Amino acid sequence: MAETTDQIAFRSALTAVPSFVYGNALRLVVLSVAWVVCLLPVITVGPATLLAYAAVQDLRSERNAVDVSRLGSVLRRNGVASVVFSGVPVVFGGISVLYGIPALSRGMLLGEIIALIAGYIAMYSALVLVPTFSAMARGVSPVSALRYGIRWVASHPTAVLSMALLTVVTFVVTALLMVAFPLLFAGIAFSLHVIVTDEFDTYTDENRQASGLAAV
């Protein structure tokens, strides 16, 4: 039953993404360019992504407009946490590369093990950060958002991997087109992330309500 619900929710999300991107194309291009510019100091990748998620959520609301005051509130509440959280996959990814390359060239078993463990932590933490940042963009506290992210990934592993694969495909395609990356990647990828997490939460809430009515 859970798998069927996940399939329905993911299909619904994928159906919603193209129309949302098309309907907000210009604003998503501005968002993508702003995100790339904000990445230049590197350490700002977390806050930039957090604000991008919040902007997409605003565009998906009934108001269909970015609330600058809400973005400022989200940044004040969760900006520092976004810096810390976004540093985890970067640090462990760096450790994986630093140990992995010499280990493979020299045949060092310990180095290969460390590289594999660090690489796994980097990938897992990156996956967890998608629902975590989506929650923080809604104003949820960092600790609660992180718990939500961990539960979300554990509950929907197939959706997480599918979303990650689509994100990688989007990255590769836009990167190959070069100029398309700063114009399109963030807008498309973050729209996908926000819509998928929102759709799954909506279906989960509906199932809980249905279960509650059935129990009554």
Side-chain angles (χ1 to χ4, degrees):
M1 181 63 180
E3 291 182 358
T4 302
T5 301
D6 280 6
Q7 290 172 356
I8 295 173
F10 195 73
R11 191 182 308 116
S12 176
L14 289 185
T15 302
V17 171
S19 58
F20 173 77
V21 171
Y22 179 78
N24 297 275
L26 181 58
R27 286 179 286 188
L28 290 177
V29 167
V30 174
L31 182 150
S32 296
V33 173
W35 181 75
V36 171
V37 171
C38 290
L39 289 186
L40 296 180
V42 180
I43 195 173
T44 55
V45 60
T49 303
L50 178 66
L51 291 178
Y53 274 44
V56 171
Q57 290 171 354
D58 282 350
L59 293 177
R60 294 197 71 230
S61 67
E62 293 182 359
R63 188 165 175 260
N64 189 228
V66 177
D67 186 345
V68 178
S69 62
R70 191 182 86 86
L71 296 187
S73 176
V74 168
L75 185 61
R76 287 191 297 271
R77 180 178 177 83
N78 294 325
V80 175
S82 70
V83 174
V84 176
F85 288 171
S86 62
V88 175
V90 174
V91 170
F92 281 97
I95 292 174
S96 179
V97 172
L98 289 175
Y99 276 89
I101 294 177
L104 289 174
S105 62
R106 300 172 187 173
M108 299 169 57
L109 179 59
L110 179 59
E112 293 175 357
I113 293 175
I114 293 175
L116 286 174
I117 294 175
Y120 174 81
I121 295 174
M123 288 186 292
Y124 175 77
S125 60
L127 295 175
V128 167
L129 287 184
V130 171
T132 298
F133 270 54
S134 183
M136 289 200 301
R138 293 195 298 267
V140 178
S141 66
V143 174
S144 297
L146 182 59
R147 290 173 179 169
Y148 162 80
I150 293 172
R151 288 196 304 269
W152 202 95
V153 169
S155 301
H156 313 293
T158 302
V160 170
L161 293 176
S162 299
M163 183 168 57
L165 178 60
L166 288 174
T167 302
V168 171
V169 170
T170 302
F171 175 84
V172 171
V173 171
T174 55
L176 288 176
L177 296 175
M178 298 182 70
V179 72
F181 179 80
L183 295 177
L184 300 175
F185 173 72
I188 296 175
F190 297 160
S191 295
L192 171 69
H193 298 170
V194 170
I195 292 174
V196 168
T197 53
D198 285 353
E199 287 292 327
F200 271 78
D201 288 348
T202 298
Y203 274 88
T204 299
D205 291 341
E206 290 177 352
N207 286 339
R208 286 175 180 172
Q209 292 176 3
S211 299
L213 291 173
V216 173

